[in-house]
């Protein structure tokens, strides 16, 4: 099971995933500078180190530069977070989640039918 990551760690992972699963430190900093928040370089290095310790990244040295490589895909992360959410909020009851999505108009009946067709095609 994947360890939880902070919002800031997630921002860094999204940058790496968006770049095909690996990124140089300089690229990460360039992407962060495009955002509205100011990121301290030491903070970013600390967050990258934590992500490595949690098993999300590995670091390769390219000369004097560090390349950060994702060990977890975005889809794997999403799947793990979805399972954690369903377990925590709905005690594992997916029907309760779907019921809430329908009742709150987060998902339409047509979208539900589309999901059912997808399920039947892929698990039929």
């Amino acid at each position: 099971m994947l360890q939880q990551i902070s919002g800031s760690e997630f921002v860094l992972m999204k940058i790496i995933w968006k770049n095909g699963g690996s990124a140089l430190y300089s690229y990460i900093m360039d992407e962060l500078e495009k955002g509205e928040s100011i990121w301290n370089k030491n903070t970013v290095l600390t967050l990258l180190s934590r992500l490595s310790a949690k098993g999300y990244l590995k670091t390769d040295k390219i000369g004097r530069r560090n390349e950060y490589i994702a060990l977890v895909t975005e889809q794997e992360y999403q799947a793990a977070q979805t399972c954690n959410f369903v377990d925590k909020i709905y005690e594992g009851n997916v029907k309760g989640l779907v019921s809430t999505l329908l009742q709150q108009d987060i998902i339409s009946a047509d979208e539900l039918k589309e999901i059912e067709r997808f399920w039947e095609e892929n698990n039929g």
Side-chain angles (χ1 to χ4, degrees):
M1 181 185 253
L2 295 174
Q3 289 187 43
Q4 288 293 105
I5 61 175
S6 70
S8 296
E9 291 169 335
F10 183 62
V11 168
L12 298 181
M13 288 304 299
K14 283 177 54 173
I15 290 170
I16 294 166
W17 287 324
K18 188 179 93 180
N19 196 51
S22 66
L24 293 171
Y25 171 77
S26 58
Y27 175 82
I28 294 168
M29 290 306 295
D30 288 345
E31 289 297 301
L32 290 171
E33 288 173 11
K34 293 177 185 176
E36 296 176 16
S37 301
I38 297 172
W39 291 73
N40 177 292
K41 291 180 180 186
N42 287 333
T43 300
V44 173
L45 288 170
T46 298
L47 292 171
L48 290 167
S49 177
R50 284 185 192 161
L51 285 165
S52 293
K54 291 177 180 180
Y56 281 84
L57 296 176
K58 76 173 186 169
T59 307
D60 279 351
K61 285 271 189 204
I62 301 175
R64 295 181 348 170
R65 302 183 308 165
N66 282 339
E67 180 181 38
Y68 296 91
I69 300 161
L71 298 174
V72 175
T73 67
E74 189 170 12
Q75 293 77 17
E76 289 169 333
Y77 177 78
Q78 290 170 340
Q81 290 305 303
T82 301
C83 289
N84 287 340
F85 174 76
V86 171
D87 285 346
K88 182 175 169 182
I89 305 299
Y90 293 94
E91 298 178 347
N93 181 354
V94 176
K95 185 178 175 186
L97 168 64
V98 174
S99 176
T100 299
L101 294 173
L102 286 166
Q103 289 171 0
Q104 299 299 316
D105 291 327
I106 297 169
I107 187 173
S108 69
D110 287 343
E111 288 172 315
L112 182 59
K113 285 183 176 121
E114 190 176 317
I115 292 167
E116 288 172 355
R117 277 194 301 275
F118 174 81
W119 178 261
E120 289 168 5
E121 289 170 6
N122 290 286
N123 294 294

